[in-house]
Amino acid sequence: MIDLSVKLPGLQLKNPVIPASGCFGFGEEFAELYDLNQLGAITIKAATLEPRTGNPTPRIAETYGGILNAIGLQNPGVEAIIREKLPWLEQFDLPVIANVAGDTVEEYVEVSRRLAENKVIKALELNISCPNVEKGGMAFGTDAETAAELTAEVKKAAGKPVYVKLSPNVTDIVRIARAVEEAGADGLSMINTLLGMRIDLKTGKTILANGTGGLSGPAIKPVAIRMIYQVYKEVKIPIIGMGGIQDARDVLEFLYAGASAVGIGTANFINPYVCPDIIRDLPGVLAEHGFSSIREAIGFAHR
Amino acid sequence: MIDLSVKLPGLQLKNPVIPASGCFGFGEEFAELYDLNQLGAITIKAATLEPRTGNPTPRIAETYGGILNAIGLQNPGVEAIIREKLPWLEQFDLPVIANVAGDTVEEYVEVSRRLAENKVIKALELNISCPNVEKGGMAFGTDAETAAELTAEVKKAAGKPVYVKLSPNVTDIVRIARAVEEAGADGLSMINTLLGMRIDLKTGKTILANGTGGLSGPAIKPVAIRMIYQVYKEVKIPIIGMGGIQDARDVLEFLYAGASAVGIGTANFINPYVCPDIIRDLPGVLAEHGFSSIREAIGFAHR
Amino acid sequence: MKLTEDMLVMKNEEIAPGIYELVLKGENVRLMKEAGQFVNIQLEGKGLVLRRPFSICEINLPEKEFKVIYRVQGEGTGYLAGIEAGERLNVFGPLGRGFPEPALKEGETALLIGGGIGTPPLYELARRLHGRGNKVITVLGFQDKDGVFYEGEFSQFSEVHVATMDGSYGYKGNVLELIGHLQLDFDVLYACGPMAMLKAIQEAYAKEKRGYISLEERMACGIGACYGCVCDKGGELPYQKRVCKEGPVFALNEVIL
Amino acid sequence: MKLTEDMLVMKNEEIAPGIYELVLKGENVRLMKEAGQFVNIQLEGKGLVLRRPFSICEINLPEKEFKVIYRVQGEGTGYLAGIEAGERLNVFGPLGRGFPEPALKEGETALLIGGGIGTPPLYELARRLHGRGNKVITVLGFQDKDGVFYEGEFSQFSEVHVATMDGSYGYKGNVLELIGHLQLDFDVLYACGPMAMLKAIQEAYAKEKRGYISLEERMACGIGACYGCVCDKGGELPYQKRVCKEGPVFALNEVIL
Ligand SMILES: Cc1cc2nc3c(=O)[nH]c(=O)nc-3n(C[C@H](O)[C@H](O)[C@H](O)COP(=O)(O)OP(=O)(O)OC[C@H]3O[C@@H](n4cnc5c(N)ncnc54)[C@H](O)[C@@H]3O)c2cc1C
Ligand SMILES: Cc1cc2nc3c(=O)[nH]c(=O)nc-3n(C[C@H](O)[C@H](O)[C@H](O)COP(=O)(O)OP(=O)(O)OC[C@H]3O[C@@H](n4cnc5c(N)ncnc54)[C@H](O)[C@@H]3O)c2cc1C
Ligand SMILES: Cc1cc2nc3c(=O)[nH]c(=O)nc-3n(C[C@H](O)[C@H](O)[C@H](O)COP(=O)(O)O)c2cc1C
Ligand SMILES: Cc1cc2nc3c(=O)[nH]c(=O)nc-3n(C[C@H](O)[C@H](O)[C@H](O)COP(=O)(O)O)c2cc1C
Ligand code: FES
Ligand code: FES
């Protein structure tokens, strides 16, 4: 018997497979396709204090082996999420991670506080790495001091474990990871999207109305693996790894690099059943490589 | 008639297509495949003061839509290059750009000085962005002050135009571009490779003996386009754009973003005739989009 | 049961320059209920990641087949054009909401307006409305004579008028001009085509007529999870609707184009 | 003339579990001069970027055909296994330097040592040496009986001995043990196979025998331009040689494994 379970701060996971924020809405659409109880957990779409309309369309462009998105944190606002989305999620036996965004430290703190009060939410994920908004977003994630301060403030206000989602668009990811660890983060999520752009040859304009967007999908996997590998060496808190995962073998590579669990984003758009497919395939892939539990594979490349 | 010519500091190019450093050796191997005189210019492999053996093998790994390399600046040293390689290159009617690397400012200066003295060399390209060496390399390219100082020192010592090759592994590429421009750079080359990693599932070790490597190929194109677009807005010196170019349409996208000429790296490994193929296709692609010269397309996305 | 299925390609043929008719066979065809829904097709071409959305053009339930008509537009459709009968394509769908047929009462007339590659989703609709006994008028607009397709097919179920921009076939001008020219009378309109056409139709008829339009937007998930494909419905925040989920068909006056 | 060519797949069949025989036809076959050279084949599978290097196993000049034998190893070879006769593959080559035949004088005996998937490049060599009138002895090593291939083919041109690690076929043990066991006598050896085997061969024979070994290394360009595939030749700096350009065949004592 292969043991797929993983225990992380605030999260008792049946398996390490977690749909990534922004790629799974609030679960409703995928619940029409399969039983969400199969999943390790789910990360819901970024919440802000007020409702947001996000960026103008086009918001999606394709690149070689990846996609660019510039959704711009569209969401109905934290109150509507608590009122309309969380009660629905309560029916599942599924830890819910709330992704939090904002323009100011105060907004992050307030949104985190309100979400943490809700019993459906088991952990917070601070999105300090969204490349698609003018204020806040990535700015918090590219400077170690700012990231640490934000983490500390949220930790003070919210009584639930806090995962900080790191931006890959930085010179020194280890520095930022260390800073938020010291500031009290319970875990890290990495990586968010790389900042990219495509230009339409016919119009001469950027394909995304927003100009730049976040690059995700298989193209970015080697960058994610590298960053997780580097950070794992230097921090003690667990890492939820993501960036280009497509199948159970990719999951194993992330575990080797140092992830304790994984986020699946873009792959949900390619194969809507990718999460249950990976969960089905994981035991076989682990066994094939001589492991009998997820735990044994975590950080294996460092041994 | 479509005018493919481009004039850059020190470089009078028949067309904007330049094999990128490290992907074309010193031209000898490709000269067996086609007439190098077709090219706009060539950028030769990085030169250091002493011969270098580079990193242990494996030095190459494949990723989705890209490759990782960790050559580690293997080269016969500046003297052997001047003695054995440049005389051979003299037979061609082809501007040669010398890529320069080093561990210290002094090494860069000395290598640049010697190469600049040679009449075959028309411009220098400072590789301050090699991710595959322990000392120097990328370290010079991730800090604006260091990059500027290095640029200024080389400018003082070498009597040829200096292009600075920027690393994409930074939080703020514009800051570094501006700094080297102020320090006297005549042009920019961007981008070098993104730092990445792959782990072998069977062995649990990184595929590259060096651990990390530089990610190149189509996967990184959207990052290159974004950085060139951002930098073009903020600097006046010309940009040689590269990162994932595979065909003439990709070249047009780089021109739109703000590149004045382009470097072709990884694509040479996929289609060894890619440079002449692109040069053949460019007039048609330009005409199809209503341009009669390269010049008209440069920076088109900004208009 | 999965909503993704490796369906068998029965046919994939060029029917006009750059326009292809693709027939796919699979079990999930029996889920295809409404005209105007779409499918999201996965393509194995190099570097391609996202599925490509295509409207369902015709449903053949007994044979478990359905048809898509597509124009070669870029890399994905270029790759698709190279697929041959006998190969398989992974199809996700049916997705989205189609045209509401019962919008039309007995004895009422439907006007179907198709612009270029917007024509296909109207075909299954024409067939159904005709089957229900309604009068159907179809107005199709194309760039030029070479681009015209499906005139004959639509004429099985409807009165068909064709306009071309260069006048090389049928009426010279756009579909709205042709409708005005013919002084066509109708109760409900259904339109699909380029944004400029839809805007003009909205402007001309949103106040006085019932009608439905089908929108396109760049998509990622196709099911409403990524918020990539929103359109503006006005009103209170957050006022966007997802083209893939609440659409692609919207009432003529409920979206701000 | 280009060194890349879209060659026609004449055959692509499994000859042992996971081992395939691929026959390609094209004009550039006439450039294939030496046994032991390789080709770099482009594969269109999703996400695949680099070409894959394969040794030339047999050259059929009159038919302009050549053969490759490959083992399904990962994504690229997995994709290759799905290619069918009639399709085309872009082949870059011949590349590199092969086995020097004239190393063998009249009346001398050649010992060919192949380990697993290292066997194929020796086949064309066996044929040629046999054709030149030399005595050829081939020793092939495999994991087990199921993995054995080309024993019959080699026996057309040589005396063949087979070893399997588990003893399920032929001699139980590795090729070196078998050579010792048979007390084989020879003048020049030619070997290709796993690194461990090549190292053992070097250790056993580098001092006393002439010999040539074929190396593998992860490659990018395949022509010597990227310095991705170096091996160590000792001596003065820079002492590396490129497997793709100066190799893949090296004299037994000129490389440090
Ligand atoms: C609901 C819906 C129904 C559609 N029905 C049809 C149909 O029946 N027949 C038909 O020919 N076309 C239809 N389209 C448009 C079709 O999806 C695009 O032409 C196709 O995706 C282009 O892909 P490409 O790779 O060839 O083009 P590229 O330009 O190379 O595509 C790059 C990316 O942009 C997206 N894209 C490009 N153009 C469009 C577009 N017009 N709409 C949405 N996404 C686009 C692609 O999906 C892809 O992600 C429909 C689109 C939608 C949203
Ligand atoms: C000169 C030469 C001749 C060869 N001849 C043969 C042959 O005749 N028959 C045969 O079955 N194999 C041969 N190989 C090995 C063959 O190239 C690899 O098995 C193949 O590239 C694996 O590709 P993959 O995508 O299936 O594996 P993956 O592991 O998915 O490949 C990933 C990357 O690693 C590279 N790679 C993986 N294994 C090797 C390897 N052993 N050597 C070099 N690169 C590797 C691939 O080329 C690719 O770039 C030869 C290799 C070289 C260098
Ligand atoms: C359409 C889209 C929307 C996203 N929205 C969010 C978001 O709201 N919050 C967040 O932290 N990350 C967001 N992300 C980033 C993903 O959660 C994930 O970190 C990233 O896409 C890399 O993983 P992938 O390659 O598996 O997609 C989004 C990604 C995509 C593609
Ligand atoms: C094998 C290899 C070796 C390289 N060596 C160098 C080098 O010596 N100096 C340098 O400035 N860049 C080097 N580069 C980076 C390329 O010049 C180029 O900037 C990068 O690969 C992006 O372009 P591409 O995607 O077209 O390959 C190397 C890249 C590769 C793949
Ligand atoms: S495509 Fe994802 S919400 Fe419509
Ligand atoms: S593969 Fe490029 S030098 Fe050998």
Side-chain angles (χ1 to χ4, degrees):
Chain A
M1 262 305 294
I2 306 284
D3 179 10
L4 292 188
S5 73
V6 178
K7 210 177 134 40
L8 296 180
L11 303 168
Q12 178 63 54
L13 310 175
K14 293 187 272 292
N15 61 64
V17 178
I18 311 174
S21 180
C23 302
F24 210 74
F26 299 93
E28 295 151 311
E29 296 78 18
F30 283 92
E32 291 177 22
L33 300 181
Y34 59 81
D35 180 4
L36 299 190
N37 282 327
Q38 298 173 69
L39 300 171
I42 91 166
T43 319
I44 56 178
K45 239 188 106 53
T48 53
L49 199 54
E50 302 298 328
R52 294 216 190 172
T53 54
N55 290 319
T57 57
R59 294 177 172 188
I60 301 283
E62 198 185 39
T63 71
Y64 197 106
I67 74 169
L68 291 171
N69 88 80
I71 309 297
L73 297 180
Q74 170 171 2
N75 81 97
V78 67
E79 276 317 310
I81 291 173
I82 290 172
R83 207 171 52 237
E84 293 160 22
K85 306 292 183 182
L86 299 190
W88 179 83
L89 279 166
E90 207 181 331
Q91 66 181 292
F92 300 99
D93 170 26
L94 193 64
V96 177
I97 305 167
N99 188 269
V100 177
D103 290 344
T104 60
V105 174
E106 293 68 41
E107 183 173 358
Y108 275 99
V109 168
E110 184 56 22
V111 174
S112 298
R113 200 186 53 71
R114 294 199 204 173
L115 285 165
E117 277 172 3
N118 191 290
K119 64 173 183 296
V120 176
I121 302 299
K122 295 292 180 285
L124 301 169
E125 180 176 71
L126 298 189
N127 177 1
I128 59 166
S129 43
C130 180
N132 297 323
V133 287
E134 284 224 350
K135 284 181 287 182
M138 205 169 84
F140 286 106
T142 51
D143 178 69
E145 284 70 46
T146 321
E149 188 204 319
L150 179 69
T151 307
E153 292 296 324
V154 170
K155 273 300 285 181
K156 243 189 281 168
K160 296 257 168 86
V162 172
Y163 292 74
V164 180
K165 184 153 178 185
L166 303 185
S167 168
N169 302 292
V170 296
T171 308
D172 187 351
I173 188 95
V174 171
R175 216 176 138 234
I176 296 173
R178 277 222 201 98
V180 301
E181 178 182 42
E182 274 165 35
D186 299 280
L188 300 170
S189 295
M190 54 192 293
I191 58 174
N192 209 316
T193 52
L194 282 164
L195 198 56
M197 176 184 280
R198 278 213 58 182
I199 300 170
D200 187 318
L201 294 189
K202 281 187 201 129
T203 64
K205 299 289 154 227
T206 59
I207 292 185
L208 299 174
N210 186 53
T212 59
L215 180 65
S216 62
I220 71 169
K221 199 184 83 172
V223 176
I225 293 284
R226 183 264 295 184
M227 290 189 161
I228 292 166
Y229 186 94
Q230 291 178 324
V231 167
Y232 178 84
K233 270 192 195 309
E234 306 288 338
V235 302
K236 294 206 172 50
I237 51 177
I239 299 168
I240 302 177
M242 67 200 80
I245 294 175
Q246 295 192 97
D247 57 28
R249 309 184 84 80
D250 288 338
V251 171
L252 192 58
E253 194 174 344
F254 275 78
L255 296 176
Y256 279 14
S260 295
V262 293
I264 315 286
T266 306
N268 290 294
F269 310 152
I270 306 170
N271 169 12
Y273 299 93
V274 68
C275 290
D277 284 357
I278 289 176
I279 294 164
R280 177 197 64 205
D281 295 342
L282 254 182
V285 169
L286 284 167
E288 183 192 333
H289 293 88
F291 301 103
S292 60
S293 71
I294 294 290
R295 217 171 331 105
E296 293 165 17
I298 298 169
F300 186 68
H302 300 266
R303 291 200 281 271
Chain B
M1 262 306 293
I2 306 284
D3 178 10
L4 292 188
S5 73
V6 178
K7 212 179 135 37
L8 297 179
L11 303 168
Q12 179 65 53
L13 311 175
K14 293 187 272 292
N15 62 63
V17 178
I18 311 175
S21 179
C23 303
F24 210 74
F26 298 92
E28 294 149 312
E29 296 78 19
F30 284 91
E32 292 177 22
L33 300 180
Y34 58 83
D35 180 2
L36 300 189
N37 281 325
Q38 298 173 70
L39 300 170
I42 92 165
T43 319
I44 56 179
K45 240 189 107 49
T48 54
L49 198 54
E50 302 298 329
R52 294 214 190 173
T53 55
N55 290 318
T57 56
R59 295 177 171 188
I60 300 283
E62 197 185 42
T63 71
Y64 198 105
I67 75 169
L68 291 171
N69 88 81
I71 309 297
L73 297 181
Q74 170 171 3
N75 81 97
V78 67
E79 276 318 309
I81 292 175
I82 291 173
R83 208 172 49 238
E84 294 160 22
K85 306 293 182 181
L86 300 190
W88 179 82
L89 279 166
E90 207 180 330
Q91 67 182 293
F92 300 99
D93 170 26
L94 192 64
V96 177
I97 305 168
N99 188 269
V100 176
D103 290 344
T104 59
V105 174
E106 293 67 40
E107 183 173 359
Y108 276 98
V109 169
E110 184 54 21
V111 174
S112 299
R113 200 185 52 71
R114 294 198 204 174
L115 285 166
E117 276 173 5
N118 191 291
K119 66 173 180 296
V120 176
I121 303 300
K122 295 291 181 286
L124 301 169
E125 180 176 72
L126 298 187
N127 178 1
I128 58 166
S129 44
C130 180
N132 297 323
V133 287
E134 284 223 350
K135 285 180 287 180
M138 205 170 83
F140 286 105
T142 52
D143 178 67
E145 283 71 46
T146 321
E149 188 203 319
L150 179 70
T151 307
E153 292 296 323
V154 170
K155 273 300 284 184
K156 242 188 281 167
K160 297 256 168 88
V162 172
Y163 292 75
V164 180
K165 184 152 176 184
L166 303 184
S167 168
N169 303 292
V170 296
T171 308
D172 187 351
I173 188 93
V174 171
R175 219 178 133 232
I176 296 172
R178 276 221 201 97
V180 301
E181 179 182 41
E182 274 165 36
D186 299 281
L188 301 170
S189 293
M190 53 192 291
I191 58 177
N192 210 315
T193 53
L194 282 162
L195 199 55
M197 177 184 279
R198 279 214 58 183
I199 300 170
D200 187 318
L201 295 188
K202 281 185 201 132
T203 64
K205 299 290 154 227
T206 57
I207 292 185
L208 298 175
N210 185 53
T212 57
L215 180 65
S216 62
I220 71 169
K221 197 184 84 173
V223 175
I225 293 284
R226 183 264 294 182
M227 290 189 162
I228 292 166
Y229 186 94
Q230 291 178 325
V231 167
Y232 178 83
K233 270 192 195 312
E234 306 288 338
V235 302
K236 293 205 171 50
I237 51 177
I239 299 169
I240 301 176
M242 67 200 80
I245 294 176
Q246 294 191 98
D247 58 28
R249 309 184 85 80
D250 289 339
V251 171
L252 192 59
E253 193 173 343
F254 275 79
L255 296 176
Y256 279 13
S260 294
V262 293
I264 316 288
T266 306
N268 290 295
F269 310 152
I270 307 170
N271 170 11
Y273 299 92
V274 68
C275 291
D277 284 357
I278 289 177
I279 293 164
R280 176 198 63 207
D281 295 343
L282 255 182
V285 169
L286 283 167
E288 183 192 331
H289 293 87
F291 301 103
S292 59
S293 71
I294 295 289
R295 218 172 328 105
E296 294 165 18
I298 298 168
F300 187 67
H302 300 266
R303 290 199 278 272
Chain C
M1 210 224 37
K2 281 192 172 184
L3 215 54
T4 51
E5 183 183 356
D6 285 323
M7 290 197 184
L8 187 64
V9 177
M10 306 301 292
K11 183 181 168 185
N12 188 29
E13 280 169 22
E14 195 164 9
I15 58 168
I19 307 283
Y20 287 72
E21 197 177 71
L22 169 71
V23 178
L24 291 160
K25 188 188 190 84
E27 294 301 323
N28 286 353
V29 170
R30 56 198 156 78
L31 305 174
M32 297 181 178
K33 301 245 158 62
E34 291 171 346
Q37 288 185 293
F38 68 101
V39 292
N40 227 351
I41 302 186
Q42 195 173 342
L43 302 172
E44 296 300 325
K46 266 211 163 175
L48 301 181
V49 168
L50 292 172
R51 288 168 180 266
R52 297 295 192 267
F54 298 102
S55 299
I56 296 167
C57 168
E58 188 183 349
I59 305 166
N60 182 342
L61 271 182
E63 297 292 330
K64 294 184 189 157
E65 292 180 359
F66 79 103
K67 188 188 289 173
V68 157
I69 293 181
Y70 64 93
R71 182 176 57 199
V72 172
Q73 158 102 2
E75 286 193 71
T77 44
Y79 175 86
L80 187 54
I83 298 291
E84 287 171 19
E87 297 189 54
R88 290 192 177 262
L89 288 170
N90 191 277
V91 177
F92 182 29
L95 303 173
R97 291 205 212 153
F99 294 105
E101 289 165 56
L104 212 63
K105 295 191 208 77
E106 220 184 295
E108 287 189 325
T109 298
L111 176 64
L112 277 44
I113 313 175
I117 197 61
T119 301
L122 300 174
Y123 183 66
E124 176 69 22
L125 180 70
R127 216 167 61 105
R128 291 185 181 205
L129 294 173
H130 176 77
R132 293 171 78 242
N134 286 103
K135 180 175 176 198
V136 182
I137 308 173
T138 305
V139 178
L140 303 177
F142 300 97
Q143 277 306 316
D144 54 29
K145 189 178 174 196
D146 274 354
V148 177
F149 64 91
Y150 261 52
E151 182 187 11
E153 282 79 354
F154 272 100
S155 65
Q156 297 172 261
F157 312 117
S158 68
E159 173 188 324
V160 184
H161 305 280
V162 175
T164 55
M165 292 308 291
D166 68 352
S168 52
Y169 187 84
Y171 177 82
K172 177 176 172 151
N174 66 33
V175 285
L176 270 179
E177 288 160 359
L178 176 54
I179 294 166
H181 172 77
L182 296 171
Q183 305 205 337
L184 294 176
D185 197 23
F186 61 93
D187 300 291
V188 182
L189 74 78
Y190 300 88
C192 186
M195 187 52 85
M197 178 189 109
L198 298 179
K199 273 191 185 164
I201 290 173
Q202 201 183 44
E203 204 157 297
Y205 299 110
K207 292 218 181 76
E208 35 174 308
K209 293 282 185 186
R210 275 178 291 151
Y212 300 89
I213 54 177
S214 179
L215 300 185
E216 287 187 9
E217 190 49 74
R218 286 186 184 240
M219 295 181 171
C221 71
I223 56 172
C226 76
Y227 287 77
C229 67
V230 296
C231 67
D232 194 343
K233 286 192 67 170
E236 291 282 293
L237 254 175
Y239 46 71
Q240 298 109 318
K241 293 287 164 187
R242 295 161 296 185
V243 171
C244 69
K245 182 82 179 173
E246 282 89 30
V249 173
F250 293 93
L252 188 53
N253 52 17
E254 79 176 317
V255 281
I256 300 167
L257 296 180
Chain D
M1 213 221 39
K2 281 193 173 185
L3 214 54
T4 52
E5 182 182 356
D6 285 325
M7 290 197 186
L8 187 64
V9 177
M10 305 303 290
K11 183 180 167 187
N12 187 26
E13 280 169 21
E14 196 164 8
I15 57 167
I19 307 282
Y20 287 73
E21 197 177 72
L22 169 70
V23 178
L24 292 160
K25 189 189 189 82
E27 294 302 322
N28 285 354
V29 170
R30 59 200 153 79
L31 304 175
M32 298 181 177
K33 302 242 158 65
E34 292 171 345
Q37 288 185 293
F38 68 101
V39 292
N40 227 350
I41 301 185
Q42 193 173 342
L43 303 170
E44 295 300 324
K46 266 210 165 177
L48 301 181
V49 168
L50 291 173
R51 289 169 180 265
R52 298 294 193 265
F54 298 101
S55 300
I56 296 167
C57 168
E58 188 184 348
I59 305 165
N60 182 341
L61 272 181
E63 295 294 328
K64 293 183 191 159
E65 292 179 1
F66 79 103
K67 188 188 287 173
V68 156
I69 293 182
Y70 63 93
R71 182 176 59 201
V72 172
Q73 157 102 2
E75 285 193 73
T77 45
Y79 174 86
L80 187 55
I83 298 291
E84 288 171 20
E87 297 188 54
R88 289 192 178 262
L89 288 170
N90 190 277
V91 177
F92 180 29
L95 303 173
R97 291 206 214 154
F99 295 104
E101 288 164 56
L104 212 62
K105 294 190 210 77
E106 221 184 294
E108 288 190 324
T109 298
L111 176 65
L112 276 46
I113 313 175
I117 197 61
T119 300
L122 301 175
Y123 183 66
E124 176 70 21
L125 180 70
R127 217 169 58 107
R128 292 184 180 205
L129 293 174
H130 176 77
R132 294 172 77 244
N134 287 103
K135 181 176 175 195
V136 182
I137 307 173
T138 305
V139 178
L140 303 177
F142 301 96
Q143 277 305 316
D144 55 29
K145 188 179 174 193
D146 275 355
V148 177
F149 64 90
Y150 261 51
E151 183 189 8
E153 282 78 354
F154 273 99
S155 65
Q156 297 172 260
F157 313 117
S158 67
E159 171 189 324
V160 185
H161 305 280
V162 176
T164 55
M165 292 309 290
D166 68 352
S168 54
Y169 188 84
Y171 177 82
K172 178 175 171 153
N174 65 33
V175 283
L176 271 179
E177 288 159 0
L178 176 54
I179 294 167
H181 171 78
L182 297 171
Q183 305 205 336
L184 294 176
D185 196 24
F186 61 94
D187 301 290
V188 182
L189 74 77
Y190 299 88
C192 185
M195 188 53 85
M197 179 188 108
L198 298 180
K199 273 192 186 163
I201 290 174
Q202 202 182 43
E203 206 158 297
Y205 299 109
K207 292 218 184 77
E208 35 174 310
K209 294 279 185 187
R210 276 177 292 152
Y212 299 89
I213 55 176
S214 178
L215 301 185
E216 288 188 9
E217 190 49 75
R218 288 187 184 241
M219 294 181 173
C221 71
I223 56 172
C226 77
Y227 287 76
C229 68
V230 296
C231 67
D232 195 342
K233 284 191 65 171
E236 291 282 294
L237 254 173
Y239 45 72
Q240 297 110 319
K241 292 288 164 185
R242 296 160 295 184
V243 171
C244 68
K245 183 80 178 174
E246 282 88 30
V249 174
F250 293 94
L252 188 54
N253 52 16
E254 78 176 317
V255 282
I256 301 168
L257 297 181

